[in-house]
């Protein structure tokens, strides 16, 4: 008897035309490291009295479908997650294709995501998936991955795939050594690590339905936050924090073959940090930054992905 093994798991993704309705085709095979995407339906204990000490049968509560997907930052597949986070990009397709995603869109696309374990067999289709949050870290070494948090409408399980034969992409991963951080166009030195989190703050539409599912997930006020840990070498960031002035930060990755990804945050505000001397080692400071809408460009951030994909 075959047993489920994570090494044989697979994932396919397609954007929906109608929320909650999986498309009949157009799925793409997605690289992923792990996923907690799933549906659950808790049981409610009976509160009724008069039937003795033994409880009556529980009843089913509403269905909740959500979870995280850990994905690599790569030159092609990561564009699907950027589209889910920001909406449709503006694409320039002369030579290498440049896809520019901008924050602030009130309309986010929904996705159908199928996870499969062929050896069982079990294929779970999650429809109405909307991206609530995406987060990743920049550091000196290790594997570079992002965590996408999704809110789905529901789960349908079958013994055969509903995604057909998904299209495969060429995996070209970015590494931590491909990364760089700039402040107002100049390299930001002495950075030990950085954390970036973009949140759509989805509002679940929890209407009364016979199937217990939600009617949708609408984006509310977005948030872009993070932290920068630096070796304390000068007063530049501290002075900015004290003065309350914003700066522009860019988190970028470039491959030798020309593919690149960058997130430009136009107006970053820094808090005044506590500078501690904890011992003979180097002194480090952590800035928990927040981003806001820049009045000049009219948005909070933009993400730019350069690759050979013509359309997302």
């Amino acid at each position: 008897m075959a047993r489920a093994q994570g090494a044989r798991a697979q994932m396919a993704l397609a954007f929906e035309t109608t929320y909650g309705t999986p498309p009949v085709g157009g799925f793409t095979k997605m690289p992923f490291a792990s996923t907690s995407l799933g549906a659950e339906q808790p049981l409610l204990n009976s509160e009724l009295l008069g039937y003795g000490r033994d409880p009556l049968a529980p009843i089913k509560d509403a269905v909740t479908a959500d979870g995280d997907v850990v994905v690599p930052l790569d030159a092609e597949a990561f564009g699907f997650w950027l589209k889910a986070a920001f909406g449709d990009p503006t694409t320039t397709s002369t030579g290498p294709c440049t896809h520019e995603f901008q924050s602030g869109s009130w309309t986010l696309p929904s996705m159908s995501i199928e996870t499969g374990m062929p050896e069982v067999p079990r294929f779970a289709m999650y429809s109405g998936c909307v991206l609530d949050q995406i987060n990743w870290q920049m550091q000196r070494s290790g594997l570079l991955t992002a965590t996408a948090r999704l809110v789905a409408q529901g789960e349908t399980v079958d013994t055969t795939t509903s995604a057909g034969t998904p299209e495969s992409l060429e995996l070209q991963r970015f590494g931590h050594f491909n990364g760089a951080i700039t402040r107002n166009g100049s390299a930001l030195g002495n950075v030990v690590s950085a954390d970036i989190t973009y949140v759509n703050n989805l509002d679940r539409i929890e209407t009364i339905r016979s199937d217990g599912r939600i009617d949708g997930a609408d984006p509310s006020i977005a948030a872009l936050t993070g932290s920068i840990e630096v070796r304390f070498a000068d007063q530049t960031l501290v002075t900015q924090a004290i003065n309350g002035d914003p700066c522009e930060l860019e988190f970028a990755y470039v491959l030798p073959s020309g593919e690149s990804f960058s997130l430009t945050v136009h107006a970053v505000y820094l808090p005044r940090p506590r500078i501690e001397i904890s011992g003979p080692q180097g002194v480090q400071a952590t800035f928990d930054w927040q981003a806001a809408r820049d009045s000049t460009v009219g948005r909070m951030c933009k993400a730019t992905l350069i690759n050979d994909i013509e359309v997302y």
Side-chain angles (χ1 to χ4, degrees):
M1 178 180 178
R3 293 176 174 83
Q5 292 183 329
R8 298 187 61 185
Q10 56 194 35
M11 176 179 290
L13 179 152
F15 289 101
E16 299 172 345
T17 302
T18 304
Y19 175 80
T21 302
V24 295
F27 281 83
T28 302
K29 184 178 181 180
M30 302 300 293
F32 72 106
S34 64
T35 179
S36 62
L37 187 61
E40 59 183 0
Q41 188 173 22
L43 298 175
L44 298 176
N45 294 329
S46 175
E47 83 286 16
L48 300 179
L49 306 176
Y51 294 89
R53 292 186 58 239
D54 294 335
L56 297 178
I59 62 173
K60 293 181 178 180
D61 201 2
V63 176
T64 300
D66 54 21
D68 296 343
V69 182
V70 179
V71 299
L73 264 73
D74 73 304
E76 295 188 355
F78 196 58
F80 289 89
W81 302 108
L82 292 175
K83 178 178 176 178
F86 298 105
D88 292 323
T90 300
T91 298
T92 303
S93 57
T94 55
C97 298
T98 300
H99 311 275
E100 184 177 289
F101 305 82
Q102 297 185 7
S103 62
S105 174
W106 284 103
T107 303
L108 297 179
S110 63
M111 305 171 287
S112 288
I113 298 177
E114 184 185 77
T115 59
M117 292 178 282
E119 69 277 14
V120 175
R122 182 183 190 272
F123 294 88
M125 178 68 74
Y126 301 96
S127 56
C129 295
V130 184
L131 192 143
D132 185 34
Q133 173 181 305
I134 190 165
N135 163 269
W136 73 91
Q137 293 181 332
M138 300 184 73
Q139 54 193 26
R140 184 176 181 271
S141 62
L143 295 173
L144 177 58
T145 59
T147 300
R149 181 169 300 168
L150 304 170
V151 173
Q153 185 185 49
E155 174 191 66
T156 303
V157 179
D158 205 340
T159 57
T160 58
T161 179
S162 300
T165 302
E167 180 184 357
S168 296
L169 299 174
E170 182 181 358
L171 182 61
Q172 295 176 290
R173 295 188 68 171
F174 297 108
H176 285 294
F177 63 92
N178 301 124
I181 302 175
T182 60
R183 176 184 178 273
N184 292 334
S186 300
L188 183 62
N190 300 300
V191 179
V192 177
S193 64
D195 183 89
I196 304 100
T197 301
Y198 181 80
V199 186
N200 279 313
N201 284 316
L202 296 180
D203 179 24
R204 299 175 190 244
I205 306 174
E206 298 178 333
T207 57
I208 299 174
R209 294 171 52 121
S210 59
D211 56 9
R213 298 181 175 185
I214 62 174
D215 257 350
D218 291 341
S220 58
I221 300 299
L224 180 54
T225 61
S227 64
I228 299 177
E229 186 175 0
V230 298
R231 300 279 283 191
F232 194 65
D234 58 55
Q235 292 276 76
T236 302
L237 296 180
V238 175
T239 300
Q240 177 189 331
I242 294 174
N243 293 336
D245 299 325
C247 71
E248 182 179 87
L249 291 181
E250 183 179 85
F251 308 91
Y253 303 88
V254 180
L255 293 177
S257 52
E259 294 81 3
S260 66
F261 164 64
S262 64
L263 177 69
T264 304
V265 189
H266 300 295
V268 173
Y269 293 85
L270 304 176
R272 182 171 179 170
R274 182 191 300 270
I275 308 298
E276 297 183 358
I277 303 174
S278 57
Q281 293 82 14
V283 176
Q284 296 185 177
T286 300
F287 296 85
D288 295 320
W289 54 268
Q290 299 180 27
R293 179 181 181 274
D294 183 87
S295 58
T296 302
V297 298
R299 60 177 178 265
M300 180 168 60
C301 69
K302 69 173 181 178
T304 304
L305 186 64
I306 299 177
N307 56 26
D308 293 329
I309 301 295
E310 294 183 357
V311 177
Y312 278 105

